Structure formats: structure tokens, C-alpha cells
Amino acid sequence: MLELAGVTKRFGGVAALSNVSFTVAEGEILGLIGPNGAGKTTLLNCISGVYRLDGGSITFDGRRLDGLPPHQVARLGIGRTFQVVKPFASMTVRENAAVGALFGSGQAHLAPKAAFSWADEVLELVGLARKARLTVGSLTIPDRKRLEVARALATKPRLLLLDEVMAGLNPVEVDEALDMVRKVHAGGITIVLIEHVMRVVVGVCDRVIVLHMGQHLAEGTPDEVLQDRRVIEAYLGEKYAARRHG
């Protein structure tokens, strides 16, 4: 479904991404992990059109994405969330979700009545149906993250890019978010997720790619990657490895 070949992105003289290549199969949940500054969010920004590439190519369903602006990428069927959630504060939860349906992918570009109907469905999916009429300012951080996912889902993506939707959540909230991701995936959506919570990576990912200093460090199943000596040294640390094997 998605192919990255030699993706390179520089900021000034610094390469945030250097010759990164991998594919994403339709129906897969792919995890992206690595230390802060590894280039994970930069990579999502390149896929979604926020950044232009300095080298390489990105192809989605046989169509080149590099060079397309974000709204055109979204209309091809790629939705995403952002690390720092920025809902429309003056709108209700339902209105925020409807924005995705009004301005999303080609199949999600709906008339207002249909957009609100679809918004109700995605809010039900992410567990916010009972809070649809509330203003965004009354939501907790976990609920704002759910709304970020709902707004992305409202665009009717075939591929969903999730940027640390579990960050800052307590263990119970993480379990709830995991269930949400599984439900989204069960609806036929391919997922690429950035995550630091290893329980999430092990719990939902079919395959994991590790980035380090803007480069592809390792790839494999969660168990393979979490036992990789290079990954332990660059990211996880010896204490994590000891706990995992203890």
C-alpha cells in the first residue's frame, strides 16, 4: 500500500531523515519506535505532505505522494493525528469530528447533514458519543486524543498515521486506547503508529521499524526488535532488557 524509497529530509545542514526505505502492507499495523529526535514525526510529516522531501520518493497505491500538499494527500485516503492536539476550541466535539468529513478524502467529502451523521459514527467508535455535544474545552487529555483520532477517521482514510496517541495516559487509559486502535483496525484501516509505550507496540503491532538518528536501524516483529542488541543500546536500555527477560 505504501512504499518509501530513500526518503531524505534535511533542515539546514542536518539530516533529520537519511535514506529511509520500507513498505507498509494493506491491513497491517506497523509500529515506528526510536529515541526522541530519531525522525519519527518528521517521517509522518513527509508522508502526509507537511514537509517536502530532499531526496527519495513516497508512493501510495502506485501514486507518488512527494510534492503533494497535505489536503491532496488526505483526499487520496491518508489520515493522521498530531502529537500536540489542536482541536477547534470554539466548536463542540461533534462539530470537530464533522470537519474531517467535510474536508477529508474524496469519499469523505460529504454534504453537512451526511458529514454530521458520519461524525456520530466515528465518535461512537472512539468512545466519545456521549460527549458529542460538549465543547472541546471540557474534555480531558485522553478524550482530546480520542477526538484527534475521530477527526482523522472522519476523513475516511484507508491508511491512518497515529503520532503518540498513548502519550501521557495512565495504564487504564492506555488499555482503553488500545481497544480503540483495535476497533479502528478491525474496520479495515491500515495503521502506522509512533509509540514509546512498549506494551502498546507488543500488543497491537504486526511489525516494527526502529529509527535512530534519522536512519533505519532495525525491523522485524515486536519480539525480534525488542531483543535486538542494537535497539537495546540505542533506545531501550539495559534495564528494560533485564525486566523483559526477568
Side-chain angles (χ1 to χ4, degrees), residues 64-144:
R64 288 281 292 267
L65 295 182
D66 39 297
L68 295 181
H71 71 278
Q72 289 187 15
V73 174
R75 286 176 183 170
L76 290 174
I78 297 179
R80 71 162 296 180
T81 67
F82 290 85
Q83 226 173 0
V84 179
V85 297
K86 292 185 178 180
F88 298 102
S90 62
M91 297 181 179
T92 65
V93 170
R94 187 174 187 242
E95 288 166 342
N96 265 269
V99 167
L102 288 168
F103 302 103
S105 70
Q107 62 174 334
H109 202 59
L110 305 174
K113 184 176 181 180
F116 278 101
S117 178
W118 178 237
D120 291 337
E121 290 190 40
V122 296
L123 289 174
E124 180 71 37
L125 179 63
V126 303
L128 283 177
R130 295 175 60 186
K131 300 180 180 181
R133 306 287 178 176
L134 299 179
T135 58
V136 171
S138 65
L139 295 183
T140 62
I141 291 297
D143 281 345
R144 288 188 181 212

Side-chain angles (χ1 to χ4, degrees), residues 188-209:
I189 296 176
T190 303
I191 296 173
V192 175
L193 64 87
I194 294 174
E195 195 49 70
H196 285 294
V197 181
M198 291 304 105
R199 181 159 64 91
V200 173
V201 173
V202 173
V204 298
C205 293
D206 302 305
R207 186 165 54 99
V208 178
I209 288 172

Side-chain angles (χ1 to χ4, degrees), residues 111-184:
K113 184 176 181 180
F116 278 101
S117 178
W118 178 237
D120 291 337
E121 290 190 40
V122 296
L123 289 174
E124 180 71 37
L125 179 63
V126 303
L128 283 177
R130 295 175 60 186
K131 300 180 180 181
R133 306 287 178 176
L134 299 179
T135 58
V136 171
S138 65
L139 295 183
T140 62
I141 291 297
D143 281 345
R144 288 188 181 212
K145 288 179 178 286
R146 288 175 180 273
L147 178 57
E148 184 81 356
V149 175
R151 195 165 54 179
L153 286 175
T155 69
K156 293 193 175 181
R158 294 180 54 227
L159 172 65
L160 181 62
L161 312 175
L162 300 176
D163 196 348
E164 292 194 42
V165 294
M166 316 283 180
L169 304 186
N170 65 40
V172 172
E173 293 162 347
V174 167
D175 286 338
E176 292 171 347
L178 269 171
D179 288 340
M180 176 183 68
V181 170
R182 292 187 183 108
K183 286 179 182 178
V184 169

Side-chain angles (χ1 to χ4, degrees), residues 33-36 38 210-213 215 217-218 228-238:
I33 68 172
N36 291 331
V210 186
L211 295 180
H212 180 56
M213 298 181 68
Q215 298 183 338
L217 178 67
D228 190 307
R229 174 53 53 181
R230 296 169 299 168
V231 179
I232 292 169
E233 291 176 354
Y235 177 44
L236 298 174
E238 297 293 346

